[in-house]
Amino acid sequence: MSDLKDQKYRQVFEATIAQLTIRRRTDPKFTIEDLRQLLHTEYTHQGNDWVGRGSLAHVVQSATIAAYEQFLTECQNEET
């Protein structure tokens, strides 16, 4: 099961980074503040810890948050 979780994590992380990269390139209205809001929303969802969320859903959520955090850091570094 660990291999499946690792594979899913990588898949979601990479897909999220790709999606954010495309959005940043093609949407001039997409700002760092928008990205912060998306990350904040994910933190809120993580904190809700809904009943019935399985371990794979936790992996997806963790990978999404990690991708947002990394992308935000990269964007902030570009602006400095």
Side-chain angles (χ1 to χ4, degrees):
M1 184 68 163
S2 182
D3 287 343
L4 174 62
K5 287 180 183 179
D6 290 344
Q7 181 181 6
K8 186 65 173 177
Y9 184 97
R10 283 190 307 275
Q11 179 185 41
V12 170
F13 182 90
E14 291 170 5
T16 303
I17 292 289
Q19 178 186 34
L20 290 169
T21 300
I22 290 168
R23 185 167 180 194
R24 186 144 195 246
R25 286 183 190 158
T26 61
D27 183 357
K29 294 181 181 183
F30 183 64
T31 65
I32 288 178
E33 188 54 39
D34 294 328
L35 183 54
R36 284 189 185 109
Q37 273 304 112
L38 288 170
L39 181 57
H40 176 75
T41 299
E42 287 301 320
Y43 286 147
T44 300
H45 288 160
Q46 183 182 41
N48 288 340
D49 197 24
W50 297 311
V51 174
R53 186 185 311 163
S55 62
L56 200 53
H58 284 288
V59 168
V60 169
Q61 189 171 54
S62 294
T64 301
I65 288 172
Y68 284 166
E69 289 172 339
Q70 179 176 313
F71 197 80
L72 178 59
T73 299
E74 290 172 5
C75 290
Q76 289 170 330
N77 288 340
E78 287 175 9
E79 290 193 356
T80 58

